[in-house]
Amino acid sequence: MTSDPLVARMRPFGTTIFTEMSALAARTGAVNLGQGFPDTDGPEEMLAAAAEALAGGANQYPPLAGIPVLRSAIAAHEQRFWGLTRDPDGEVAVTAGATEAVAAAILALCEPGDEVVCFEPYYDSYAASIALAGAVRRPVTLRPGPARRFEFDPDELRKAFGPRTRLVLLNSPHNPTGKVFIPAELKLIADLCREHDVFAVTDEVYEHLVFPDAAAPHVPLATLPGMLERTLRISSAGKTFSCTGWKIGWATGPARLVSAILRVKQFLTFVNGAPLQPAVAVALNLPDSYFTGFTAGLRDRRDRLVDGLTDAGLAVLPSEGTYFVTADIRPLGGEDGIEFCRALPGRSGVVAVPTQVFYDHQEAGRHLIRFAFCKRPEVIDEAVRRLKG
Ligand SMILES: *Cc1c(COP(=O)(O)O)cnc(C)c1O
């Protein structure tokens, strides 16, 4: 009994780079632009509604699928922004963040050995959830193209599909690259899903964070022809309402897919965040001005950081959306992002994250690092001042 008790399929997943880099930030007093969490609170109406619900007795198990007022608000939000009509009773499930929705979707839909097509670099929970299900990931690599936007090779995507493909896991707007998938890319993904008769699971937690200079606005994959019936759309309050610690997410889609998720979710967490659920309903029902103001605020911070990184000598790739911007370290003589990020707090007092940890084919991202700009303007300005020094 002295050997590692951890199951083999989880052994490749050690401590995440965020834990290492955040500890480094704490130890060195560096400005932490590594992990993507905001340093300000979300809308006041939402915070007040949570306090009221907590004091008002909303502290016991809510229904498995989420409280009705939140499910209605999720459906109304999807109708308002994306023209998607959902039945709050059956086509909407509230989850413990987008992370649980992604995990439950993969566990509910994939038999051991089934394949999941995804794009690398990928959000770190995807590989672990696929491994937990005993499924196999088939990553397609995103690389900066002629216009320096991240792109994939259409043939590589076609070849990733095969007889064992069960689903495509698509994150757009995309973390960590800041890429927004454009209509031609979405069309190819949708065509392949229909041709191979597979499901799509879409992680759209940055649905409200596409900047006006993006190559295209955000389009949910579910709105493409023939996709509604085979797509689970996932989002979360964390990023849109600056409450990443609340872990209130949701999945919407056809009733057969939503009920499959709920079957698994029932035995993962069952439910979470009773007093937070009515508060997120209030937030989802905020007027359009909240959402446009939120995007504009983040755009200003992106611009501050991009200008500063460029002045500091990094080659900055376009960030079309999300909380993140990617930079190439080679103009500063860097080769390996992990080494560069380990040295950066001591050298410049700033923490960033090496993008290569989000790839299977790490070589493709070896020279790339990611900065988060979801921080107060003065924090970004301080980071920039240090980087220039
Ligand atoms: C932050 C993030 C999540 C996690 O969302 P939670 O609601 O906190 O679970 C999922 N996917 C992506 C791409 C993210 O950036």
Side-chain angles (χ1 to χ4, degrees), residues 96-99 123 126 171 175 203 205-206 236 239 244 247 324:
T99 309
Y123 185 64
Y126 295 178
N171 169 219
N175 173 10
D203 177 344
V205 299
Y206 299 103
S236 164
K239 306 294 161 55
T244 58
K247 298 296 277 190
F324 306 108

Side-chain angles (χ1 to χ4, degrees), residues 102 105-107 109-111 113-120 122 126-127 129-131 133-140 157 160-162 164-170 198-201 360:
V102 169
I106 293 168
L107 288 166
L109 299 176
C110 292
E111 297 287 0
D114 280 354
E115 294 178 2
V116 175
V117 173
C118 54
F119 293 89
E120 66 174 5
Y122 42 69
Y126 295 178
S129 291
I130 293 166
V136 177
R137 59 182 185 272
R138 291 295 306 263
V140 173
L157 181 64
F161 281 76
R164 289 305 306 263
T165 308
R166 181 64 166 165
L167 62 90
V168 177
L169 180 51
L170 174 69
V198 303
F199 298 115
V201 175
D360 284 3

Side-chain angles (χ1 to χ4, degrees), residues 244-380:
T244 58
W246 282 19
K247 298 296 277 190
I248 302 292
W250 52 87
T252 57
R256 64 186 180 129
L257 291 180
V258 169
S259 83
I261 277 212
L262 287 174
R263 196 76 68 86
V264 170
K265 182 203 162 29
Q266 181 168 217
F267 304 111
L268 288 176
T269 56
F270 178 45
V271 293
N272 74 301
L276 308 177
Q277 292 196 16
V280 170
V282 168
L284 285 165
N285 288 327
L286 287 170
D288 289 0
S289 56
Y290 168 76
F291 297 90
T292 48
F294 173 67
T295 314
L298 263 296
R299 191 232 171 133
D300 170 62
R301 293 163 205 208
R302 178 202 66 174
D303 291 346
R304 273 171 197 263
L305 183 61
V306 166
D307 291 349
L309 295 177
T310 307
D311 287 349
L314 290 156
V316 182
L317 296 165
S319 163
E320 303 179 307
T322 74
Y323 279 176
F324 306 108
V325 62
T326 298
D328 188 331
I329 58 175
R330 287 175 296 188
L332 288 182
E335 281 294 330
D336 183 89
I338 294 181
E339 273 172 30
F340 191 91
C341 288
R342 284 200 174 120
L344 198 59
R347 210 168 113 190
S348 306
V350 174
V351 167
V353 164
T355 309
Q356 65 182 284
V357 300
F358 307 119
Y359 291 79
D360 284 3
H361 306 97
Q362 294 209 353
E363 210 39 51
R366 197 159 163 254
H367 53 281
L368 302 176
I369 64 175
R370 187 196 80 174
F371 292 89
F373 50 77
C374 50
K375 309 290 175 183
R376 282 169 289 135
E378 58 271 28
V379 173
I380 293 173

Side-chain angles (χ1 to χ4, degrees), residues 44-65:
E44 265 167 40
E45 301 92 319
M46 177 184 84
L47 301 176
E52 198 180 308
L54 190 90
N59 298 302
Q60 310 309 328
Y61 296 130
L64 170 65

